Amino acid sequence: MNKLQLFAYPVVAALALAAALSAHAEVPAQGKTRAEVKAELMRSLADGSYKPGGAGYDPLAFINPAVPAQKRPATAAKAASR
């Protein structure tokens, strides 16, 4: 083996090991905990500010002229203006 191989292989192996170990390093948690998010969701469900599954969206709002144009979907507002 020549000198390059005796030097290069251990260096590459050490760098690969360092990269593998740093990839598994633990990242500190940021933001809210799971319990905090769950409590916030329960509060919003209780006070009615959260509407799951798009319950606050009316896809047929353009049919009812009593619905203000600001609350209509953009495509429905264009269709109603024709």
Side-chain angles (χ1 to χ4, degrees):
M1 292 170 99
N2 63 22
K3 291 182 181 182
L4 179 63
Q5 288 176 335
L6 290 174
F7 176 73
Y9 289 147
V11 169
V12 169
L15 290 174
L17 180 62
L21 292 175
S22 68
H24 293 291
E26 188 173 332
V27 178
Q30 297 176 0
K32 299 178 183 178
T33 65
R34 186 181 189 112
E36 291 170 339
V37 171
K38 206 173 215 180
E40 185 178 339
L41 175 63
M42 292 300 136
R43 280 194 303 274
S44 63
L45 285 173
D47 68 14
S49 63
Y50 176 73
K51 295 179 171 58
Y57 174 72
D58 184 10
L60 302 176
F62 67 94
I63 294 174
N64 185 0
V67 176
Q70 300 92 324
K71 292 195 176 184
R72 295 181 191 164
T75 55
K78 289 179 186 176
S81 65
R82 291 183 184 174

